[in-house]
Amino acid sequence: MYEIIYQEIEEKKEYEIIIKKVLTQCFKEERLENAKLSITITLTTPKNIQKINKEYRGIDKETDVLSFPMFEKDELEEKIRKNDFQHEDVLGDIIISIERVKEQAKEYEHSFEREMSYMLVHGFYHLMGYDHIEEADKIKMRPKEEKILADLKINRE
């Protein structure tokens, strides 16, 4: 279902526990438990995420999370509708700046677990084809994110 890559940061069991719990719930919520889809989660530094952001998006600044989906939303919805998962498929990549997660948890006055979980759910729904640039799209994406976190009882403190 997922692979974790540590890029210039220390491996921590805490990260792996959060990732497993959150992605399991995301797959369950979207009824993808039996789909042969995998996600690569890269945990990295602000410097590395800035480099990736510049290279792939042309934006030369660091960010908290990047998502790189392998499917267009319509294509993925069709695969899900037809249950067309005979072969392993990559849903996409999520790249998270651990330092930014820590900073934002402090800034928003909630736990590291809450912020990390939100980054994962947010990245997951980008891989599923959702966006939040337009208000109409945000109205569809935000409730999905909040439902996952509520189901896991990972609330704002």
Side-chain angles (χ1 to χ4, degrees):
M1 172 167 48
Y2 63 87
E3 173 190 13
I4 302 170
I5 298 171
Y6 290 90
Q7 187 181 47
E8 295 184 29
I9 66 159
E10 184 183 335
E11 291 186 28
K12 287 197 176 175
K13 191 75 177 154
E14 173 190 11
Y15 304 157
E16 295 172 25
I17 291 167
I18 294 169
I19 290 167
K20 181 178 183 176
K21 178 168 66 171
V22 171
L23 290 183
T24 298
Q25 187 64 32
C26 288
F27 273 72
K28 181 179 171 191
E29 178 66 24
E30 295 301 324
R31 296 182 182 90
L32 295 173
E33 303 104 304
N34 299 318
K36 296 176 181 173
L37 291 170
S38 66
I39 298 173
T40 300
I41 309 292
T42 301
L43 306 177
T44 193
T45 64
K47 183 178 142 205
N48 284 333
I49 209 166
Q50 178 176 353
K51 207 165 29 174
I52 295 164
N53 204 17
K54 182 179 180 184
E55 182 178 342
Y56 291 97
R57 298 180 63 228
I59 301 171
D60 189 12
K61 68 178 205 171
E62 72 169 82
T63 188
D64 47 11
V65 61
L66 291 171
S67 303
F68 296 97
M70 295 303 287
F71 296 98
E72 294 293 327
K73 190 172 193 308
D74 296 343
E75 180 185 11
L76 184 58
E77 286 174 349
E78 181 72 7
K79 273 183 96 56
I80 292 168
R81 192 180 61 73
K82 289 181 172 177
N83 196 23
D84 183 19
F85 297 106
Q86 287 85 34
H87 308 288
E88 286 281 326
D89 264 320
V90 175
L91 185 58
D93 298 294
I94 300 172
I95 302 164
I96 298 174
S97 170
I98 291 296
E99 195 173 308
R100 282 294 289 273
V101 172
K102 291 175 184 173
E103 290 167 4
Q104 288 173 185
K106 207 178 284 182
E107 179 184 335
Y108 300 134
E109 298 180 345
H110 54 238
S111 67
F112 174 85
E113 180 189 27
R114 168 61 170 81
E115 189 64 21
M116 177 74 163
S117 297
Y118 177 75
M119 290 298 129
L120 287 163
V121 172
H122 186 77
F124 174 82
Y125 278 108
H126 276 307
L127 298 185
M128 293 293 294
Y130 290 87
D131 210 336
H132 51 84
I133 295 168
E134 301 293 327
E135 193 61 33
D137 296 328
K138 190 185 288 188
I139 289 169
K140 294 175 189 165
M141 185 173 177
R142 291 290 185 247
K144 287 183 164 290
E145 295 170 335
E146 292 302 325
K147 182 176 185 326
I148 298 287
L149 297 173
D151 288 349
L152 291 170
K153 296 179 179 26
I154 300 173
N155 304 308
R156 296 178 197 270
E157 294 162 6

